[in-house]
Amino acid sequence: IKPRFCVLRVVKFRRTGESSRSDEDVISGEHEIQIEGVRTELEPVELEDGAAVPKEFANPTDDTFMVEDAVEAIGFGKFQWKLSVVTGLAWASNYAMEMMILSILAPQLHCEWRLPSWQVALLTSVVFVGMMSSSTLWGNISDQYGRKTGLKISVLWTLYYGILSGFAPVYSWILVLRGLVGFGIGGVPQSVTLYAEFLPMKARAKCILLIEVFWAIGTVFEVLLAVLVMPTLGWRWLLILSALPLLLFAVLCFWLPESARYDVLSGNQEKAIATLKRIATENGAPMPLGKLIISRQEDRGKMRDLFTPHFRWTTLLLWFIWFSNAFSYYGLVLLTTEFFQAGDVCSISSRRQEVKAKCSLTCEYLTEEDYTDLLWTTLSEFPGVLVTLWIIDRIGRKKTMALSFFVFSFCSLLLFLCVGRNVLTVLLFIARAFISGGFQAAYVYTPEVYPTATRALGLGTCSGMARVGALITPFIAQVMLESSVYLTLVVYSGCCLLAAVASCFLPIETKGRGLQESSHKEWGQEMVGRGSHSPGGTRSNSGSQE
């Protein structure tokens, strides 16, 4: 039998996710080649004359690859689009809607239960206390037992106590139940961790930033729901109906796969390969051939890992950056109401003196005009997301955060000029656009900078520090404002100026860099191990996590 020959192309995967193609020597049909790969089926490859050879002859290499290589090779496709919708649903229903309720529920209970001002403020603060106390815990659970596990538990927790909040008989009960709701909301940022670990490098920043769209959708839906429900059914039904979208996400959680990066780190190679095959099938893309490298690490999600010499400064600077983001963002939301009610900045002091004599039980129900203002406030964040989306892959993550903080600080200082209402509106619009964009840039940077073993914990602790800022800011934006509007503006401007400097001093820029699979020390050992698998020095690695 006359042997037939064919020229085949071999794809060699690089660490950065890019690939290089080269023409290999002629392969004879009589030559037996064994390949250790992740495919289990032998698919035929057509020759030029219509004949076929087994798929194992099409890629004659015993190369190795990591999850990052597979994610980059498979690319962005149908699976990632579905995951975007599911992650966005968690962001909208479990985060945006539950947070938006705070601005609707507080004035309603203030009037209905005749609550003093400090008790109304406590309704908001207790949610942030719950989020702050649980953020690190959810991060630890996600690193120890899986991203999907932590996310499912937090969603079911929020759903359960969110519905129970609608049956609260007295103030003390709703205070406790809303605090437990906040405890569950603290786990929502882990959806970003799971989402980021399935995204190829080029799409990661854009996709995470576009999650902000679902935040806007959730807040708009909550306001529209309040317009329909509050006049007829009341706040109890609003709380119950607002929690129901979480039930849809809880059902969709069964579709969510566990992170392949987490499975590799926990030593579950078969599950990781099955997940990658599933993504490749849904995207209609080929899996890379070769052996998937396992980097098992039992000791995961430990706080001390955030303070190793390699990550110590990154962790401390990120904590301050997240604190400043939440401190400034929520502070601006509170200041906007004060400024608009006064007409301009210079009128606030005189207005404060007038309202001091008013009883703290004086209340006003939200009107249709108030709900309209809430909608406009939410929509003002879209320009910030678009600007951040445009610059984050051009100038990098660090400079994007620094620019956002600097613009916010500059707009705050311009308020010293006693501008009129129109100019005031423009300055507040710009300031909120950039501080919200900076917040999203932090959500992009944080999962990228930490390795898989501590990624969820790192994001969780940063989220916890953000809640500390959200807890403190009412005392600045409302209490300090009574004494001096200029001192208040200096505090916010100065804080963001320091945060801009902190962003510039971050040791690592993650633009154009893949997600780390393991810690810095283990990464070097891992790369050495990969090189040893390459026959004849044909293995090509480019790029590193450093």
Side-chain angles (χ1 to χ4, degrees):
I1 300 175
K2 181 179 179 180
R4 284 176 291 194
F5 301 87
C6 63
V7 178
L8 300 171
R9 302 177 70 86
V10 179
V11 180
K12 296 178 181 177
F13 292 94
R14 298 179 182 271
R15 181 67 192 94
T16 59
E18 300 173 353
S19 62
S20 61
R21 300 177 183 270
S22 62
D23 291 332
E24 295 294 324
D25 294 335
V26 175
I27 301 171
S28 171
E30 298 176 341
H31 184 63
E32 181 180 358
I33 300 176
Q34 294 182 352
I35 299 176
E36 186 177 14
V38 296
R39 293 183 184 267
T40 57
E41 298 178 358
L42 298 181
E43 302 172 6
V45 176
E46 292 294 326
L47 298 177
E48 292 182 359
D49 60 355
V53 295
K55 182 67 177 180
E56 60 180 326
F57 289 94
N59 200 347
T61 176
D62 59 353
D63 205 357
T64 59
F65 68 93
M66 299 179 68
V67 175
E68 178 78 4
D69 301 322
V71 171
E72 295 294 336
I74 295 170
F76 190 94
K78 186 177 179 181
F79 172 83
Q80 280 79 9
W81 280 115
K82 291 180 181 179
L83 186 63
S84 298
V85 174
V86 175
T87 305
L89 180 61
W91 205 251
S93 60
N94 198 12
Y95 208 169
M97 291 180 65
E98 292 294 337
M99 294 303 295
M100 194 65 193
I101 284 178
L102 300 177
S103 60
I104 299 172
L105 182 64
Q108 184 71 23
L109 292 183
H110 180 44
C111 294
E112 187 171 321
W113 286 357
R114 311 304 292 176
L115 300 175
S117 298
W118 68 271
Q119 287 188 333
V120 175
L122 195 58
L123 275 174
T124 300
S125 297
V126 74
V127 177
F128 287 115
V129 170
M131 295 171 68
M132 179 186 66
S133 61
S134 68
S135 295
T136 302
L137 174 64
W138 292 121
N140 187 271
I141 290 175
S142 297
D143 280 332
Q144 292 279 358
Y145 305 104
R147 283 75 163 111
K148 181 179 177 180
T149 301
L151 188 58
K152 281 197 300 185
I153 296 174
S154 68
V155 167
L156 292 174
W157 180 290
T158 307
L159 172 64
Y160 179 71
Y161 288 106
I163 293 176
L164 281 185
S165 297
F167 298 94
V170 293
Y171 174 78
S172 58
W173 270 98
I174 198 167
L175 198 66
V176 172
L177 290 172
R178 294 313 294 175
L180 291 172
V181 167
F183 190 91
I185 296 176
V188 180
Q190 301 311 323
S191 63
V192 177
T193 302
L194 179 64
Y195 186 46
E197 291 182 341
F198 282 116
L199 295 173
M201 182 180 61
K202 290 183 179 180
R204 190 181 304 128
K206 294 181 178 64
C207 290
I208 295 177
L209 284 173
L210 288 176
I211 292 295
E212 176 71 12
V213 174
F214 287 93
W215 172 279
I217 292 174
T219 51
V220 169
F221 180 78
E222 184 63 37
V223 173
L224 294 176
L225 185 63
V227 172
L228 296 174
V229 173
M230 291 293 283
T232 55
L233 300 177
W235 61 269
R236 296 183 185 276
W237 275 101
L238 179 65
L239 290 178
I240 295 172
L241 293 175
S242 297
L244 290 183
L246 291 173
L247 185 60
L248 174 60
F249 178 78
V251 173
L252 291 177
C253 272
F254 290 99
W255 172 85
L256 275 177
E258 181 54 84
S259 168
R261 298 176 190 270
Y262 169 80
D263 286 332
V264 164
L265 208 64
S266 59
N268 197 337
Q269 183 185 30
E270 293 78 11
K271 192 173 179 182
I273 291 174
T275 299
L276 293 173
K277 281 186 177 181
R278 170 184 168 184
I279 300 173
T281 301
E282 290 197 34
N283 288 3
M287 275 282 292
L289 295 181
K291 183 177 181 180
L292 177 63
I293 290 181
I294 295 295
S295 177
R296 186 180 181 89
Q297 186 173 340
E298 295 290 350
D299 197 18
R300 303 184 302 272
K302 301 298 182 182
M303 185 67 74
R304 65 173 181 269
D305 294 333
L306 301 180
F307 293 95
T308 59
H310 187 58
F311 289 113
R312 184 182 299 122
W313 277 110
T314 299
T315 297
L316 293 175
L317 290 173
L318 274 179
W319 281 5
F320 179 69
I321 289 169
W322 278 73
F323 170 89
S324 301
N325 255 320
F327 177 77
S328 304
Y329 176 84
Y330 291 109
L332 183 64
V333 172
L334 296 174
L335 286 175
T336 300
T337 303
E338 300 291 339
F339 288 159
F340 281 162
Q341 288 180 342
D344 58 70
V345 176
C346 298
S347 303
I348 287 185
S349 298
S350 58
R351 176 180 170 273
R352 283 288 182 180
Q353 292 176 357
E354 293 175 4
V355 301
K356 269 186 179 180
K358 289 186 178 182
C359 176
S360 64
L361 294 180
T362 302
C363 69
E364 295 180 3
Y365 287 97
L366 290 177
T367 63
E368 186 175 343
E369 184 179 359
D370 294 325
Y371 288 120
T372 302
D373 291 339
L374 287 174
L375 283 175
W376 280 112
T377 303
T378 301
L379 295 175
S380 69
E381 298 183 14
F382 278 102
V385 175
L386 294 176
V387 171
T388 305
L389 190 64
W390 186 72
I391 66 175
I392 194 166
D393 280 327
R394 287 175 168 81
I395 66 175
R397 280 64 161 145
K398 293 163 54 177
K399 291 180 181 178
T400 299
M401 290 188 285
L403 178 63
S404 299
F405 283 123
F406 179 78
V407 172
F408 179 91
S409 180
F410 183 69
C411 290
S412 299
L413 292 177
L414 289 180
L415 295 177
F416 275 72
L417 302 177
C418 292
V419 295
R421 185 178 181 89
N422 291 336
V423 179
L424 173 66
T425 302
V426 172
L427 290 176
L428 292 176
F429 188 93
I430 295 174
R432 180 157 181 178
F434 274 89
I435 197 63
S436 63
F439 223 144
Q440 292 304 309
Y443 266 109
V444 173
Y445 179 84
T446 306
E448 288 181 336
V449 77
Y450 286 113
T452 303
T454 55
R455 185 171 296 128
L457 180 62
L459 184 61
T461 55
C462 287
S463 179
M465 289 303 298
R467 306 315 154 200
V468 175
L471 274 172
I472 296 175
T473 201
F475 296 96
I476 306 299
Q478 293 175 325
V479 179
M480 183 181 287
L481 192 67
E482 295 182 0
S483 303
S484 173
V485 60
Y486 299 108
L487 180 59
T488 301
L489 293 174
V490 166
V491 170
Y492 284 111
S493 180
C495 181
C496 280
L497 200 58
L498 290 175
V501 174
S503 300
C504 294
F505 276 95
L506 283 168
I508 304 170
E509 172 58 69
T510 61
K511 173 191 171 186
R513 197 185 73 157
L515 295 184
Q516 285 183 287
E517 303 291 353
S518 56
S519 65
H520 176 58
K521 180 179 179 181
E522 291 166 348
W523 170 251
Q525 297 171 347
E526 196 173 84
M527 292 302 294
V528 171
R530 295 183 70 186
S532 65
H533 284 84
S534 302
T538 59
R539 173 67 182 173
S540 175
N541 290 316
S542 65
S544 77
Q545 296 295 348
E546 277 301 300

